[in-house]
Amino acid sequence: MIKFFRKIRQNLLMENKTGKYFKYAIGEIVLVVIGILIALQINTWNDSRKQNILEDDFINGIKNDLKQDKEYILMILNINKEKDSIYEIINSDLFDLYDNNRSKLDSLLNQFIANSRTFYPAVGTFEAAISGNDLGKFKNKFFSTATTKLYNSTYTRLNDNAKNFDDRFYYLVKKYSFERRTGHIREMNNNQLTELLDDLFYYSKAMKYYDNLLNDALAEINILIK
């Protein structure tokens, strides 16, 4: 193609058709410019298409991660709801149960200190977007901003509190290892029973605070995955 245009120019010069040569040269320049603009537009379109695909993958990946997070949070909230119900019974009837229904107290106490679950989110998709500096390029600013708040603020508070919640549970497990190991409450006087109530109270307070944080996260998740 280049040789073809060069031959046309040479023929025009040899025929001393300077005016036509300049017109042809200008036309050729215009064609080159148009070609460059078309190429730039194609590159821009390709870049935009790749960016849209990247953003769609990010949104879908985040939603999949958050659906898993939601299931885990709901599981923990259900566990804690059962534990809270058990605490209310023990808190109201501990002394009566200790004197008159040890088997029921053993069962309730064993359920209460049997296990505890804390939440840690799936962060792979979000961390990949952060490491690639992609978030600022996405068009859906609401989704990007809400996701950043969830992971960098709400989840951070949850993670920080998870350790405190775990520490409170491990304190119970260690202090009442006999009850946990045997399934039976040891012989206790009134002061020791009151101390048990205090320990369960502080754990219950920590659990309720943790539940509030979980519910805050759940509300934000529901907005993002709808």
Side-chain angles (χ1 to χ4, degrees), residues 15 18 28 40 44 66 74 76 83 99 114 118 125 131 141 170 208 217:
E15 294 173 5
T18 306
E28 187 176 330
L40 290 173
T44 300
L66 294 183
L74 290 174
I76 294 173
K83 290 167 76 76
D99 291 334
T118 46
T125 302
S131 63
K141 299 303 181 184
Y170 294 139
K208 288 180 179 179

Side-chain angles (χ1 to χ4, degrees), residues 209-226:
Y209 180 73
Y210 189 61
D211 284 352
N212 288 336
L213 294 179
L214 288 173
N215 280 308
D216 288 343
L218 191 60
E220 295 182 34
I221 289 172
N222 284 333
I223 291 174
L224 286 167
I225 64 175
K226 67 179 181 180

Side-chain angles (χ1 to χ4, degrees), residues 173-226:
V173 169
K174 182 177 180 180
K175 186 170 182 178
Y176 299 100
S177 58
F178 175 85
E179 284 74 12
R180 196 165 189 264
R181 176 171 54 83
T182 65
H184 301 288
I185 191 168
R186 74 192 75 176
E187 292 297 320
M188 292 185 179
N189 57 38
N190 285 347
N191 288 336
Q192 290 173 317
L193 289 172
T194 300
E195 187 176 346
L196 171 61
L197 278 180
D198 288 342
D199 289 335
L200 297 183
F201 169 78
Y202 287 116
Y203 175 80
S204 177
K205 293 289 286 185
M207 182 174 66
K208 288 180 179 179
Y209 180 73
Y210 189 61
D211 284 352
N212 288 336
L213 294 179
L214 288 173
N215 280 308
D216 288 343
L218 191 60
E220 295 182 34
I221 289 172
N222 284 333
I223 291 174
L224 286 167
I225 64 175
K226 67 179 181 180

Side-chain angles (χ1 to χ4, degrees), residues 1-11 24:
M1 183 63 71
I2 295 175
K3 291 181 179 180
F4 173 74
F5 286 132
R6 184 184 299 125
K7 186 176 182 180
I8 293 175
R9 291 197 303 272
Q10 289 173 349
N11 289 337
Y24 173 80

Side-chain angles (χ1 to χ4, degrees), residues 3 25 31 33 42 46 69 72 77 89 95 102 114 163 166-167 172 205 214-215:
K3 291 181 179 180
L31 287 175
V33 171
I42 291 173
N46 282 332
D69 289 349
Y72 196 21
L77 288 173
I89 296 173
F95 292 94
R102 290 279 185 96
K163 183 180 184 307
D166 284 340
D167 288 345
L172 282 180
K205 293 289 286 185
L214 288 173
N215 280 308

Side-chain angles (χ1 to χ4, degrees), residues 147-164:
T147 300
T148 301
K149 179 182 180 298
L150 174 64
Y151 281 87
N152 287 346
S153 179
T154 305
Y155 274 178
T156 297
R157 290 199 306 274
L158 261 177
N159 289 340
D160 290 342
N161 191 259
K163 183 180 184 307
N164 295 330

Side-chain angles (χ1 to χ4, degrees), residues 36 60 109 112-113 190 197:
I36 292 172
N60 291 331
L109 192 59
F112 192 85
I113 62 176
N190 285 347
L197 278 180

